[in-house]
Amino acid sequence: MKAGYAVALGLSLLIGSNGLAAADDIKPTCDVPAYLLATDSVLTKVGEALKARQPLDILVLGSRSSTIMAADGTSYPWRLQSALRDKLPASTVNVAVELRVKKTAKEAVAGLGKILEERKPTLVIWQTGTFDATRSVDPDEFRDAVNEGVTMMQAAGADVILMNLQYSPRTETMISPSPYLDHMRVVAQQHDIPLFDRFAIMRHWNENGDFDFFSPSPGIELAKQVHECIGRALSVFVIEAARVNLGELRTQR
Amino acid sequence: MNSVAEPTVASQRPAAVAQPAVVEAVPPAPKTSQRELRLDLFRGMALWLIFIDHLPANLLTWLTIRNYGFSDATEIFIFISGYTAAFVYGRAMRESGFVIAAARILKRVWQIYVAHVFLFVIFLAEISYVATSFENPLYSEEMGILDFLKQPDVTIIQALLLRFKPVNMDVLPLYIVLMFFLPPILWLMLRKADLALALSVALYAATWHFDLALSAYPSGVWVFNPFAWQLLFVFGAWCALGGAKRMTRILASNVTLVLSAAYLLAAFFVTLTWYVPQLHPLMPKQLEQWMYPINKPDLDVLRFAHFLALAAITVRFLPKDWSGLRSRWLRPVILCGQHSLEIFCLGIFLAFAGQFFLAEIAGGAFMHFLVSLTGIILMSSAAWLFSWYKRVTAKGATRSASNDADLAGGTL
């Protein structure tokens, strides 16, 4: 543990100093430690699609925190799309977003069947939990809803990634995220699907000094940068979990 | 102000003064004046840990027991509260009868309720401030939590009904409900202690079987389900009223020791896998599926067992007359444990204030550490002040008309 911390600290210091040097660069340094992007679960459908040169259709099912106010193209689903297109020049990558604003996981699952049928995604990235946490929905009910949703997505032939809550230090006195984080981890384990731990990643950035999430009125810039970083981390995570070798994909061409 | 039910010398006095005959009739009276300092020590420690756990994670958080096993400070707090409440009010019930004891318990419930409402008002003040000063597009969804400020008519009433409970304000409502039902529990406990405990276990089992829960506002259920957590409270009461003595042989046996130690080690390893992701692959998948989630609202059996193991080991290796209990260094913790309601409320308030300070004024790891430390010092100083005040008023009370000792505020 301690050694791990020391290494992380050393790395972050290195990154930090680089970040200072390139302060004018629009893209912030927001590296994610490897263990937060490693997963035992495999996205088999995504892997097959990439190897077979079939289009990769990704559906992001999310709530309000999957968007930024009045700034399209800058939220993480679109940053994910452009990062994947960069990394996978041989494949067609399409990201679609379905927003369920002010809906609990249970309510989000309600109309899910139809959407899955229409879009037939290869991969669903389901970002959820925040609204349930603000409403302090019964955690068991939340778990059942997530479980049901994941089962439906898998039955529709899609790979699934769960994405948990944002790390939000300013609301820690008011929102208790831990039961929802725990239950999402449990559902991911039960279904053997990858969990993108947005909470831990953002907390890591905060501790590292990449971002100051305490700032009371940081404006829209912070949100844009965070979404850029989430999108990039997510692209790494998708490729990692699909177990594809980027080099191989390119040489096969 | 009175303090949480606790065995004190002072509490003996009104009965003794009013009816001197009672003292002669009850031979163990001098013995009860020997305060069980271990209880104060661990309750004080639980209060410190609850305070630290309510601040955002920081260096000191690594000292709290929830990082080393399944159970946390709440278990300790509820168990000891049950123990001391049964100890004090059990004696009152034997000496002055059911009605008087019940009235005193309900008076206590009222005090805890008022304390809870007071904390809620502080919470409202803080979040109203945040609501008007916080503007971050990244967190527009999380800001939805402030929506309830738009309908104070509903929210405040629900809070008074104990159905709306902001984060970190769940322990006092649980305590209120448990204390409210203490009179009948105690009545039965004094007659058939084992039956009372058996009923408590049955209710616990029924809670799990039938999913009993208390609903909360705006949705969901109580974070600490009273139907389940009563088990710890009643078990504490049972121990206080003779159960602990009867368990002496079990507690002293080496089998208990080995089992407890093995369980604590296993739990420690499991918690380690939460914090050191590299260890996670070592966990058997089947064990994980059986074990998770460890249900805190319903007091998971794993948590209860973890608490029992901790308690068994503590009782074994920390004798009642350990000289360290009188040392100066443990004095602050013990004092905090002796004024648990006041210090508990102060701790919740300081956690609010500390978070507010860290978020609005100055952050960083060092400030974080400083805030935690300041909080603990403030809690200890306040406890010292309460003790001093109690001593002084108790002295005054003996000089003035003694039959009004209760009004003087020096007694239970």
Side-chain angles (χ1 to χ4, degrees):
Chain A
M1 186 80 216
K2 262 190 190 143
Y5 260 131
V7 172
L9 192 69
L11 277 177
S12 67
L13 284 176
L14 276 174
I15 294 162
S17 51
N18 286 346
L20 268 178
D24 294 333
D25 202 338
I26 307 159
K27 295 196 172 173
T29 43
C30 46
D31 292 78
V32 179
Y35 78 87
L36 284 174
L37 294 178
T39 173
D40 291 338
S41 312
V42 183
L43 298 173
T44 42
K45 302 267 164 50
V46 175
E48 283 162 17
L50 289 178
K51 279 171 198 149
R53 295 281 188 278
Q54 281 161 354
L56 175 57
D57 290 317
I58 301 178
L59 173 66
V60 175
L61 177 69
S63 64
R64 186 71 184 81
S65 66
S66 287
T67 61
I68 305 174
M69 212 185 300
D72 239 356
T74 51
S75 59
Y76 78 81
W78 311 118
R79 304 324 303 149
L80 167 70
Q81 175 172 284
S82 79
L84 281 179
R85 283 179 180 167
D86 283 350
K87 286 185 175 125
L88 304 163
S91 303
T92 321
V93 180
N94 292 311
V95 174
V97 181
E98 281 283 344
L99 285 187
R100 292 284 177 273
V101 177
K102 299 210 171 188
K103 294 274 191 295
T104 62
K106 197 176 172 188
E107 290 159 350
V109 166
L112 191 59
K114 220 177 120 200
I115 299 165
L116 290 171
E117 207 168 291
E118 277 168 17
R119 299 207 184 254
K120 297 205 172 26
T122 327
L123 167 66
V124 182
I125 298 173
W126 188 12
Q127 173 266 309
T128 186
T130 309
F131 189 71
D132 295 77
T134 59
R135 286 298 112 113
S136 48
V137 167
D138 181 0
D140 287 337
E141 200 174 280
F142 171 72
R143 187 187 61 217
D144 292 344
V146 176
N147 200 10
E148 191 192 334
V150 172
T151 310
M152 281 169 77
M153 292 165 189
Q154 288 183 323
D159 280 340
V160 184
I161 291 178
L162 283 179
M163 184 193 289
N164 59 16
L165 289 72
Q166 295 196 102
Y167 171 64
S168 168
R170 296 266 312 207
T171 52
E172 254 178 10
T173 33
M174 305 160 219
I175 303 173
S176 158
S178 47
Y180 306 92
L181 297 171
D182 289 349
H183 281 306
M184 288 185 75
R185 190 175 296 282
V186 168
V187 174
Q189 250 159 25
Q190 279 169 349
H191 289 265
D192 196 14
I193 57 173
L195 172 86
F196 182 77
D197 198 345
R198 183 166 64 157
F199 187 87
I201 291 172
M202 284 177 71
R203 190 169 58 189
H204 171 83
W205 288 336
N206 187 61
E207 278 162 13
N208 238 5
D210 290 318
F211 295 110
D212 176 17
F213 294 129
F214 280 100
S215 173
S217 44
I220 203 107
E221 258 336 284
L222 175 77
K224 284 184 184 170
Q225 289 180 356
V226 170
H227 276 251
E228 168 73 35
C229 291
I230 294 277
R232 270 198 270 156
L234 196 52
S235 73
V236 176
F237 189 65
V238 169
I239 288 168
E240 158 86 27
R243 303 284 191 274
V244 289
N245 186 328
L246 288 181
E248 258 172 47
L249 282 181
R250 281 193 189 121
T251 49
Q252 270 171 18
R253 200 183 328 189
Chain B
M1 178 145 181
N2 297 329
S3 53
V4 169
E6 48 188 25
T8 57
V9 193
S11 63
Q12 254 319 37
R13 198 164 22 73
V17 171
Q19 310 156 278
V22 175
V23 179
E24 285 140 29
V26 184
K31 205 177 158 242
T32 49
S33 70
Q34 272 234 321
R35 208 179 157 118
E36 174 54 286
L37 286 176
R38 285 185 299 182
L39 288 174
D40 294 331
L41 173 70
F42 287 107
R43 184 152 62 173
M45 225 184 259
L47 292 170
W48 283 13
L49 297 182
I50 289 174
F51 166 69
I52 292 173
D53 280 340
H54 281 177
L55 284 173
N58 71 97
L59 205 66
L60 284 177
T61 315
W62 290 104
L63 295 176
T64 65
I65 54 170
R66 68 167 176 192
N67 291 310
Y68 303 98
F70 302 139
S71 70
D72 64 25
T74 320
E75 271 92 348
I76 302 177
F77 182 75
I78 294 295
F79 172 82
I80 298 185
S81 296
Y83 190 105
T84 47
F87 189 86
V88 175
Y89 296 113
R91 198 171 53 202
M93 203 174 270
R94 258 190 245 118
E95 285 167 3
S96 346
F98 177 79
V99 177
I100 303 284
R104 275 169 66 181
I105 294 171
L106 291 181
K107 182 180 157 200
R108 190 75 197 151
V109 171
W110 172 247
Q111 287 174 345
I112 306 171
Y113 179 76
V114 169
H116 175 73
V117 172
F118 175 61
L119 285 176
F120 179 74
V121 171
I122 292 174
F123 173 83
L124 266 187
E126 184 207 353
I127 119 164
S128 308
Y129 176 84
V130 171
T132 51
S133 70
F134 193 23
E135 186 65 50
N136 189 339
L138 184 63
Y139 292 124
S140 45
E141 179 163 23
E142 282 80 358
M143 284 298 107
I145 188 72
L146 302 171
D147 281 355
F148 77 78
L149 287 177
K150 290 178 192 154
Q151 35 177 337
D153 52 335
V154 185
T155 326
I156 293 180
I157 290 171
Q158 294 290 353
L160 291 176
L161 292 173
L162 300 182
R163 292 189 70 235
F164 175 71
K165 297 185 293 298
V167 171
N168 289 350
M169 287 186 49
D170 305 296
V171 181
L172 282 187
L174 170 69
Y175 195 24
I176 290 169
V177 172
L178 294 178
M179 284 294 279
F180 187 79
F181 286 101
L182 183 63
I185 296 172
L186 214 49
W187 183 86
L188 184 61
M189 189 72 86
L190 287 174
R191 282 157 186 82
K192 295 239 183 299
D194 293 343
L195 178 63
L197 185 63
L199 284 176
S200 164
V201 174
L203 178 58
Y204 177 76
T207 306
W208 278 78
H209 194 261
F210 300 109
D211 269 339
L212 301 181
L214 283 183
S215 72
Y217 174 84
S219 63
V221 290
W222 280 39
V223 171
F224 294 108
N225 185 351
F227 294 118
W229 280 77
Q230 51 79 25
L231 179 63
L232 260 176
F233 190 76
V234 176
F235 179 63
W238 182 80
C239 287
L241 296 180
K245 232 175 236 148
R246 283 156 55 198
M247 284 200 306
T248 318
R249 273 185 57 194
I250 302 177
L251 287 172
S253 101
N254 282 331
V255 181
T256 314
L257 179 68
V258 170
L259 281 179
S260 304
Y263 186 72
L264 290 181
L265 271 177
F268 174 64
F269 175 74
V270 170
T271 27
L272 212 55
T273 65
W274 303 343
Y275 299 106
V276 189
Q278 291 83 351
L279 283 178
H280 190 246
L282 292 178
M283 279 284 288
K285 269 249 155 75
Q286 272 159 344
L287 181 67
E288 275 191 338
Q289 295 207 338
W290 170 78
M291 190 169 66
Y292 293 140
I294 297 176
N295 188 330
K296 184 172 182 182
D298 293 338
L299 182 65
D300 202 290
V301 179
L302 291 174
R303 289 183 70 113
F304 187 58
H306 189 259
F307 169 79
L308 289 183
L310 268 182
I313 291 212
T314 309
V315 169
R316 174 138 180 166
F317 290 109
L318 195 79
K320 208 174 182 167
D321 43 12
W322 178 51
S323 59
L325 288 171
R326 310 220 160 261
S327 95
R328 248 185 325 150
W329 298 103
L330 289 181
R331 198 81 198 125
V333 201
I334 291 178
L335 280 178
C336 285
Q338 289 174 346
H339 299 273
S340 63
L341 179 62
E342 292 91 336
I343 301 303
F344 180 88
C345 294
L346 185 66
I348 300 277
F349 166 74
L350 288 173
F352 279 152
Q355 289 209 351
F356 190 77
F357 180 83
L358 289 172
E360 311 290 334
I361 298 163
F366 179 70
M367 277 323 261
H368 220 133
F369 179 76
L370 215 60
V371 164
S372 314
L373 203 66
T374 314
I376 287 176
I377 292 173
L378 283 177
M379 284 161 78
S380 308
S381 318
W384 178 83
L385 196 68
F386 290 136
S387 286
W388 170 82
Y389 183 72
K390 199 169 170 178
R391 253 197 334 267
V392 171
T393 47
K395 260 186 224 151
T398 31
R399 257 184 276 120
S400 68
S402 48
N403 54 356
D404 250 347
D406 201 48
L407 276 181
T411 59
L412 192 77

